Amino acid sequence: MDTYTCRYPCDKSPRTFDVDEFYRLQQAIPYTMRQRITFFHQNEHGIEPTSLKLAGRSLSGPNIVAEREDRITLSLEELPVELQHLLRESRELYVRWQKPVAYQTIGPWSSKIPPGLHIFYTPGDSDRPDSGRLCRLFRTAFGPLDCSSTSNSFTRLPNDRFSHSSAYQFYQILSDLSHFSSYIEQYVCVSGNLECKEQARRLLDANFVDFSYDTISHVVKISAVWPHEQQPLSIDSHPNHRAEVGIMTPDMPPHLETHEIGVTGLLSVLGEDSKPSPTLFSFPSRHKTVPDSSFSSDFLQPWGLHPTMKLEISSSKPPMEGTYCSLHTYLALPRTIFIDKYQLGDELFLSSKNLTALRYITQPVDLEAPDYAMKLWGSSVLLEMHPPDLEDDQPWTAEIPLHLRYLAPAEHGYRNISVPWPSVFWACAVEDGTKFSNNPFDRINLGYDGLFGPRTMFWHVDPKPSEGESLYHQIQVPVLDLAQSNRISSGTATVVIIGLLFVIWKLVSVCLGMGQEAPKSPKGRPKKKRL
């Protein structure tokens, strides 16, 4: 069986996952959904090509242990009307959701973000941001988000400095996509389309889900990746949909460079190919995983109102040699907790915490306002860490000082808040002329990637929580006890009333002359003689 070898995009290979051919496809198949399904497995879990059955618009075969990615490309006309109107008035909209569970990947999906829901948005008219339609749509799709409008709930990003960043950012802790799955079943899936509803329910098990739109491509791309586990290999395609299926595994094509990923496998277009086509190609990847490296996150005890987050990193060795690499951590902090940028302006203080500098923080961050008086979602922070110089490559720690806001009163005097784990990565400079534009699996607009130059490569350190531990920290914050506050309010009112009555009584006494004795002439005092 002949195998084609080339660099992505591959001209010789019969099929290459090149979604940049959208404009040609749009003319040939207007307003038709395009679907790409990729199975990525280890070499020892491969399957024989002869075991695959490609019949018409269906592909079937034995179950395979692999990661799975589904990517759907839609034109605006294929979307719900409300979403169409919103996107036509937007320059770009990116939604990123990460599951609060640690996982490792063998495929080209190495990028990591703090768990939860991230929204990056640029309106069509920067002088007139969305008044509230965007938040209403997301509350309908994802549930009761704390989002009122772009101007009130979103924070601004420095897109004047970083041209490839969005204008606004929003984040909220979201543990699962149950509400979003129900929304798709009810409003997106056609009545009676059981396959669409089944795919919507499968989103509950995905590692991450992405939604991407920009006015340049003028299409919507929805991606979801499921964990490395046994996957059923049975795919059916709708007659009006273009579906590509790939069964891939890592490989090392000749002359593979450090910033590239090589893959080999079988590619098929359902309804067009009579048998899977073998291929081998490579493509540049801006995101990779640091091998044999991990980090854990915890808070030093006791928490108090000024907790300290401790990061323990298993290795201080950079992933690349011969180039500059710096270790960073990116935090998405809900408004209940924040970082004081002035505290992190002292170099000696930073050095004692194994930190180098505060590279970015959302502006402005109110240091005094209580949580219940704020509308902004919170703040995002990029910190550069300083690995210690150790003779042996051994674990080390960095500490991040944080501050809690005053929260609303509660029963029993405590409120629980959630703080997501940060993402940790090495940012390494690559050679001039390196481009990352042709990666068919790339993820952009992750919050931190827009804070670096275009020739930066990210090497991600995998989180390693305790068994069964979520990637959300739970902190118990002391607040005013409602039961005690009632007693305090009653006691305060009683004291004020008593004091007021006492003042009134004294004033009335003065006016009526009560309690005052008549003046008496002095006795025994010698009289003064007149001259």
Side-chain angles (χ1 to χ4, degrees):
M1 184 178 293
D2 296 333
T3 300
Y4 299 93
T5 303
C6 63
R7 179 172 299 177
Y8 190 90
C10 191
D11 297 326
K12 296 181 180 180
S13 176
R15 295 285 177 256
T16 62
F17 293 98
D18 189 359
V19 293
D20 292 335
E21 60 180 2
F22 158 73
Y23 295 106
R24 180 180 65 79
L25 290 174
Q26 188 182 40
Q27 296 176 358
I29 317 173
Y31 310 147
T32 299
M33 184 183 81
R34 290 159 297 283
Q35 185 177 14
R36 188 189 75 193
I37 302 173
T38 307
F39 296 93
F40 215 92
H41 63 87
Q42 295 176 335
N43 291 328
E44 59 269 24
H45 295 148
I47 59 176
E48 289 293 333
T50 55
S51 64
L52 299 175
K53 295 181 181 180
L54 187 59
R57 307 192 68 86
S58 298
L59 176 68
S60 60
N63 291 351
I64 182 173
V65 179
E67 289 178 282
R68 172 171 173 165
E69 183 209 44
D70 285 16
R71 173 172 289 194
I72 298 175
T73 304
L74 300 165
S75 63
L76 294 184
E77 290 74 12
E78 297 173 280
L79 300 173
V81 176
E82 184 180 7
L83 183 56
Q84 285 187 42
H85 291 166
L86 174 65
L87 294 181
R88 292 185 191 280
E89 298 175 359
S90 306
R91 184 177 303 172
E92 56 186 6
L93 175 63
Y94 299 96
V95 182
R96 308 285 184 248
W97 177 80
Q98 186 94 24
K99 194 173 186 177
V101 176
Y103 65 91
Q104 293 182 336
T105 179
I106 62 170
W109 304 289
S110 299
S111 58
K112 298 288 196 309
I113 55 177
L117 180 67
H118 304 252
I119 302 174
F120 303 95
Y121 171 67
T122 302
D125 187 352
S126 58
D127 296 330
R128 298 176 59 188
D130 170 72
S131 59
R133 181 189 300 178
L134 182 67
C135 286
R136 287 195 300 270
L137 177 62
F138 280 109
R139 288 198 303 268
T140 303
F142 293 98
L145 302 182
D146 190 8
C147 180
S148 59
S149 66
T150 305
S151 56
N152 289 332
S153 302
F154 283 59
T155 54
R156 276 189 169 274
L157 292 173
N159 59 337
D160 54 338
R161 178 181 175 187
F162 306 102
S163 59
H164 49 296
S165 295
S166 300
Y168 294 93
Q169 178 184 9
F170 177 83
Y171 169 82
Q172 181 155 329
I173 288 176
L174 190 65
S175 298
D176 60 67
L177 294 179
S178 55
H179 198 285
F180 182 63
S181 176
S182 301
Y183 170 81
I184 294 178
E185 288 189 61
Q186 183 175 357
Y187 295 102
V188 179
C189 295
V190 180
S191 178
N193 190 339
L194 299 180
E195 181 182 357
C196 176
K197 294 183 178 182
E198 176 63 26
Q199 290 180 347
R201 287 190 288 267
R202 290 184 64 245
L203 291 177
L204 299 176
D205 301 321
N207 285 335
F208 66 81
V209 176
D210 290 350
F211 175 100
S212 303
Y213 169 79
D214 63 82
T215 54
I216 298 177
S217 65
H218 209 64
V219 296
V220 169
K221 298 176 183 178
I222 303 174
S223 303
V225 172
W226 285 268
H228 184 256
E229 59 187 11
Q230 191 172 79
Q231 308 279 359
L233 195 55
S234 178
I235 301 168
D236 297 312
S237 175
H238 192 276
N240 295 327
H241 296 168
R242 187 179 190 274
E244 296 183 1
V245 181
I247 302 174
M248 318 298 293
T249 189
D251 208 326
M252 297 289 291
H255 312 296
L256 188 71
E257 299 185 21
T258 306
H259 65 279
E260 293 180 323
I261 292 178
V263 297
T264 185
L266 302 170
L267 299 169
S268 306
V269 177
L270 304 187
E272 296 182 14
D273 294 343
S274 58
K275 63 178 182 179
S277 303
T279 187
L280 170 66
F281 60 92
S282 63
F283 51 86
S285 179
R286 200 180 185 194
H287 300 272
K288 286 192 175 184
T289 301
V290 181
D292 303 322
S293 183
S294 63
F295 80 95
S296 63
S297 175
D298 201 358
F299 278 93
L300 299 180
Q301 298 288 347
W303 294 320
L305 291 176
H306 305 279
T308 297
M309 177 182 289
K310 183 182 73 171
L311 301 180
E312 183 173 347
I313 298 95
S314 63
S315 174
S316 59
K317 183 179 179 181
M320 297 178 65
E321 297 180 355
T323 186
Y324 176 76
C325 292
S326 55
L327 186 62
H328 294 79
T329 180
Y330 177 75
L331 301 93
L333 300 176
R335 63 168 175 253
T336 53
I337 192 168
F338 65 95
I339 279 182
D340 184 358
K341 68 175 184 178
Y342 302 104
Q343 183 182 17
L344 299 183
D346 187 345
E347 293 185 2
L348 290 178
F349 178 79
L350 290 172
S351 179
S352 66
K353 305 294 183 181
N354 281 335
L355 302 175
T356 299
L358 175 64
R359 296 303 182 192
Y360 170 77
I361 186 171
T362 300
Q363 296 293 343
V365 176
D366 195 323
L367 304 181
E368 302 295 337
D371 166 71
Y372 47 82
M374 296 184 63
K375 294 183 178 181
L376 293 177
W377 68 266
S379 58
S380 55
V381 178
L382 180 67
L383 278 167
E384 182 179 346
M385 294 185 285
H386 185 268
D389 296 328
L390 302 174
E391 296 182 359
D392 298 328
D393 191 18
Q394 55 187 353
W396 59 281
T397 61
E399 296 180 359
I400 303 174
L402 301 171
H403 306 273
L404 293 169
R405 295 190 184 277
Y406 293 111
L407 306 181
E411 297 289 345
H412 309 298
Y414 289 96
R415 281 190 179 274
N416 293 325
I417 67 168
S418 298
V419 181
W421 280 43
S423 57
V424 175
F425 57 87
W426 291 87
C428 298
V430 296
E431 298 178 358
D432 293 343
T434 303
K435 296 181 179 180
F436 297 98
S437 58
N438 293 324
N439 184 345
F441 306 99
D442 199 16
R443 299 177 74 196
I444 60 174
N445 280 85
L446 302 176
Y448 53 82
D449 54 344
L451 304 177
F452 294 86
R455 289 191 299 273
T456 303
M457 188 171 176
F458 301 101
W459 290 82
H460 295 267
V461 182
D462 285 333
K464 189 178 181 180
S466 303
E467 185 176 356
E469 182 184 2
S470 168
L471 296 185
Y472 289 140
H473 292 295
Q474 301 297 325
I475 298 181
Q476 194 175 57
V477 183
V479 297
L480 178 63
D481 190 339
L482 285 175
Q484 298 295 332
S485 68
N486 293 333
R487 298 178 183 176
I488 295 174
S489 299
S490 301
T492 302
T494 302
V495 171
V496 171
I497 292 174
I498 293 175
L500 179 62
L501 293 176
F502 176 76
V503 172
I504 294 175
W505 177 71
K506 296 300 290 183
L507 292 175
V508 171
S509 300
V510 171
C511 294
L512 298 179
M514 296 176 60
Q516 295 186 7
E517 297 181 357
K520 298 180 179 180
S521 58
K523 295 181 179 181
R525 180 180 298 175
K527 295 182 179 180
K528 295 183 179 180
K529 296 181 180 181
R530 293 182 178 179
L531 298 177

